[in-house]
Amino acid sequence: MAAAGRNEGETPRAAIGFDAATGALHLGATVVDVDTDIAGLPAAFVTDAAQTVEVAGRRVSCRFAETDWRDDAPGENGRRVHLRLRFEDGVWVSAFCVLRGAGAAAHRHWLRRKFGAAEGVAAGCRWGVAEDRSGDCHAFVHNRHWR
C-alpha cells in the first residue's frame, strides 16, 4: 500500500500506543483522537470511498483509512502493524490492528503491552481480540463514538 508522497518500500516507524481513557491512538508524537477527521490523518494513511452500512439497525456512511507502521515502542522491535481506522458518519470510531502472520495469542500479548490487559473496557474505550469473517485475527480498539 503506497500513500502519496511516500516511497513504496518505506514503512513509517513510531511507538504505537493507546490512551485507555479515550481510545486515542498515538503514533509517536502524532495523536489520532475522537476529534480527528479522516482528511487530517498522517499522509501514510490511504483512505477508501464512503460506503453505506447498517450499524445497530440504522444506516451509516462508513469509510476506512489504512496503513502499515513499524511499532518502535519498547519491546516491539519494529514489529509491523497494519492499522485500519473506521469512520462512521465522518467520526472516528475504531482501530483494527493486525500483526501480520500472528494468531490470537500474539494479538492478546500485544494488547497487554499497550493496555496492561488483553481485553477491557474503560469509560472512553473498549479493546480486545476478534476474528474477521475469513478467520484472521486482529486487535480492536473502540473509542467512545463506537456503538
Side-chain angles (χ1 to χ4, degrees):
M1 147 180 333
R6 188 162 63 98
N7 292 333
E8 183 68 33
E10 289 181 41
T11 301
R13 294 180 80 102
I16 298 173
F18 295 94
D19 182 338
T22 65
L25 167 64
H26 295 259
L27 299 169
T30 301
V31 178
V32 179
D33 64 19
V34 296
D35 296 323
T36 300
D37 181 78
I38 198 166
L41 291 172
F45 280 90
V46 175
T47 58
D48 68 0
Q51 55 186 302
T52 302
V53 298
E54 190 168 317
V55 177
R58 64 183 197 92
R59 298 178 63 73
V60 298
S61 174
C62 180
R63 288 186 73 190
F64 290 95
E66 298 186 59
T67 189
D68 284 319
W69 283 72
R70 291 213 175 260
D71 189 353
D72 276 349
E76 298 302 333
N77 301 319
R79 174 191 289 274
R80 185 180 296 267
V81 180
H82 181 76
L83 299 170
R84 187 171 198 222
L85 307 183
R86 180 180 174 123
F87 290 77
E88 293 177 3
D89 290 334
V91 176
W92 177 52
V93 297
S94 299
F96 302 97
C97 312
V98 178
L99 311 177
R100 302 256 189 225
H107 285 82
R108 286 187 192 98
H109 289 302
W110 188 76
L111 285 173
R112 273 191 202 99
R113 290 190 298 275
K114 301 301 171 186
F115 290 98
E119 59 183 63
V121 178
C125 182
R126 177 178 174 239
W127 65 93
V129 174
E131 289 183 2
D132 64 18
R133 292 179 197 169
S134 63
D136 294 326
C137 290
H138 63 272
F140 65 84
V141 181
H142 301 309
N143 64 38
R144 64 183 164 98
H145 292 303
W146 181 75
R147 301 175 215 3

